[in-house]
Amino acid sequence: MSAERDDSQQAGGGQRAGESQLDADIVEAFGEILEQLIERLETVARRFELPAFCLKALHMLNAPMAMKDLGQRIHCDPSFVTAIADMLDSHGLGQREPDTRDRRVKRLRLTDKGIELRERVERELFARLPWTDALEVSEREELLRLLRKMLEASRRQQA
């Protein structure tokens, strides 16, 4: 190993200095993408006169789901799931129902109106995603493959 390569690995904490900068650039780009996604989600939410967290719940509710499970999927406290269920119910978008196997468990399901709204929201949101106009279909497929590869590696590390 050359002295030059050894110095760059030490400077990068075990990585070459260029790789450290590349990682920093990737983090910055992901941060910008996340900011754009959040901004677009909030814009769509305002258009439909619902908080963004309700749109996230609408997206997650493809089938009736225990409220506890919904809370875990959207990473929020059970009391907040109750507030989401109340809001969906008050707008006629969702209903609570007892679980058929355990009546202590309440499941949240979308009404027909909720399903219709979810479809409208997703059409509008998906048309405004940063990669929709910027990338060809084959590039989007590759992006998805890379994202799934990273997620799988992350899951293995956590296990």
Side-chain angles (χ1 to χ4, degrees):
M1 180 185 316
S2 73
E4 181 181 286
R5 180 176 171 159
D6 187 46
D7 289 343
S8 67
Q9 282 182 333
Q10 289 175 0
Q15 291 182 329
R16 292 191 322 265
E19 288 179 10
S20 293
Q21 183 59 50
L22 177 61
D23 288 339
D25 292 345
I26 291 169
V27 167
E28 184 176 332
F30 266 115
E32 288 181 39
I33 290 288
L34 286 173
E35 285 177 20
Q36 287 183 14
L37 290 173
I38 290 167
E39 180 181 309
R40 290 171 187 188
L41 177 66
E42 289 173 349
T43 298
V44 171
R46 280 190 301 273
R47 187 167 298 126
F48 289 99
E49 299 178 351
L50 285 171
F53 59 81
C54 281
L55 296 189
K56 188 172 182 179
L58 282 174
H59 176 72
M60 295 288 176
L61 288 167
N62 290 325
M65 184 181 300
M67 291 176 57
K68 178 181 176 183
D69 294 340
L70 178 62
Q72 289 172 344
R73 290 195 63 197
I74 63 175
H75 308 286
C76 72
D77 187 78
S79 64
F80 194 64
V81 176
T82 299
I84 291 171
D86 289 345
M87 184 163 292
L88 292 176
D89 185 46
S90 71
H91 285 83
L93 303 171
Q95 289 182 324
R96 292 177 183 88
E97 56 187 28
D99 187 273
T100 56
R101 291 169 285 161
D102 184 349
R103 295 189 62 79
R104 295 171 296 176
V105 174
K106 294 293 181 206
R107 300 177 73 74
L108 188 57
R109 73 166 184 82
L110 294 181
T111 62
D112 290 342
K113 182 179 176 182
I115 292 168
E116 179 185 318
L117 180 62
R118 180 185 65 212
E119 291 169 357
R120 288 177 50 211
V121 165
E122 288 181 352
R123 272 194 309 274
E124 186 167 334
L125 248 172
F126 292 170
R128 298 169 157 257
L129 296 172
W131 49 84
T132 304
D133 292 330
L135 301 177
E136 299 294 327
V137 171
S138 63
E139 292 172 314
R140 292 183 357 225
E141 290 169 344
E142 180 65 9
L143 174 62
L144 176 60
R145 186 191 69 74
L146 292 170
L147 289 169
R148 286 180 172 161
K149 182 177 180 178
M150 290 187 297
L151 290 168
E152 181 58 33
S154 178
R155 285 185 200 106
R156 282 194 308 268
Q157 285 177 343
Q158 291 176 354

